[in-house]
Amino acid sequence: MEFKELVKGIKVPVIGMGTFGIGGGMSPDASHDKEDIAALRRGIELGMTHIDTAEMYAKGHSEEVVGESMKPFDRKNIFITSKVLGTNLRYNDLINAAKRSLKRLKIEQMDLYLVHWSNPDMPLKETMRGMEYLLEQELTRFIGISNFSVKEMKEAQSHLDKNKIVTNQVEYNLVHRNPEKELLPFCQKNKIILTAYSPLGMGRVVRMKIPLLDALANKYNKTPAQICLNWLISKPQVIAIPKASNIKHVEENAGAVGWKLENSDIEKLNRLAV
Ligand SMILES: NC(=O)c1ccc[n+]([C@@H]2O[C@H](COP(=O)([O-])OP(=O)(O)OC[C@H]3O[C@@H](n4cnc5c(N)ncnc54)[C@H](OP(=O)(O)O)[C@@H]3O)[C@@H](O)[C@H]2O)c1
């Protein structure tokens, strides 16, 4: 696995694992837990030790499945991110939500806790005070946000006394380029990690059969999914969290690292208009 620096001295794998759909969709469904746990464990073995979950996913069951999948491994070798719902952003609600997540994950401390979505009805200052409390109490090692604009990010940071927002998790993939306009340059300039969610466009990017992707897959003897992920992580400050329940997909995604696209091919993908 390859890593990028989250903060000085702390590194995260460039490819991690998403878990939306694991443990159920919008409500819990335990019928695929066994396969999902096996997929997550295989991914951890292959070095995709950053696991992204949220209290929203399967109404908490996704976190329970993640907790179960970690059991055979040394906790300190796994990097767990979870997220608080946009409706739990009041000071006490946020702290209680984080404690419930810890309980479901069966861990003492999360590595990273994110505000899942901004909510104009909740004062951001109060939310960030809650996030700082979690840091003080060592309930999480780092904090961040998700789906925030640059303006919202700056505002969130302005409410923090001594701590840093270490990531903004946003949708970013070959066919969804919004972050390239403002957010990615901002993160690169300020050395903040941009975590790319839906890095395969929920699988759509692979299903679209884009000729350039197929050609590059042929050239590098890789798969289209591996080309998509390698292109994302070729960008400074970007890490990705593809979700895969299928073990073959897990193995494929882990194989998106350890080699590099040539600059001219990165340029071609940059220019791709789909
Ligand atoms: N912060 C937010 O608001 C937010 C929003 C969306 C997502 N996320 C996070 O980001 C994670 C990833 O995003 P996502 O789940 O939306 O989409 P994604 O990772 O882009 O795509 C997942 C889909 O692609 C398939 N897939 C995975 N690897 C593949 C491969 N190598 N070849 C072909 N198909 C492959 C998966 O199938 P199988 O499962 O069958 O293997 C699944 O159907 C989420 O799980 C979640 O943790 C965060």
Side-chain angles (χ1 to χ4, degrees), residues 227-240:
I227 301 289
C228 288
L229 295 173
N230 194 281
W231 169 77
L232 273 174
I233 60 170
S234 74
K235 298 177 182 299
Q237 299 303 126
V238 176
I239 62 169

Side-chain angles (χ1 to χ4, degrees), residues 17-22 24-25 51-66 80-86 97 100-101 104-105 110 112-117 146 169 241:
M17 292 189 285
T19 62
F20 181 59
I22 283 184
I51 309 181
D52 176 78
T53 185
E55 62 168 332
M56 187 190 100
Y57 301 168
K59 290 204 166 65
H61 187 51
S62 166
E63 291 177 322
E64 289 169 345
V65 173
V66 170
I80 295 290
T81 296
S82 194
K83 317 184 200 76
V84 57
L85 270 171
R100 287 194 299 270
S101 285
R104 286 188 292 262
L105 285 158
M110 286 176 278
L112 178 58
Y113 199 51
L114 309 180
V115 177
H116 207 149
W117 298 87
S146 175
Q169 184 184 119
I241 46 167

Side-chain angles (χ1 to χ4, degrees), residues 19-20 52 146-147 169 198 200 202 241 243 245 249 253:
T19 62
F20 181 59
D52 176 78
S146 175
N147 299 302
Q169 184 184 119
S198 303
L200 301 171
M202 300 180 188
I241 46 167
K243 175 263 175 187
S245 292
H249 288 162
N253 296 344

Side-chain angles (χ1 to χ4, degrees), residues 1-2 13-17 39 42-49 200 216-217 220-233 240 242 244 246-261:
M1 186 46 62
E2 293 169 16
V14 289
I15 303 285
M17 292 189 285
R42 181 72 184 125
I44 295 169
E45 281 166 11
L46 292 169
M48 295 190 292
T49 51
L200 301 171
L216 293 176
Y220 289 89
N221 199 19
K222 303 289 174 192
T223 66
Q226 290 172 330
I227 301 289
C228 288
L229 295 173
N230 194 281
W231 169 77
L232 273 174
I233 60 170
N246 178 324
I247 288 205
K248 285 212 167 8
H249 288 162
V250 170
E251 291 172 347
E252 203 178 311
N253 296 344
V257 299
W259 54 280
K260 281 190 171 36
L261 286 162

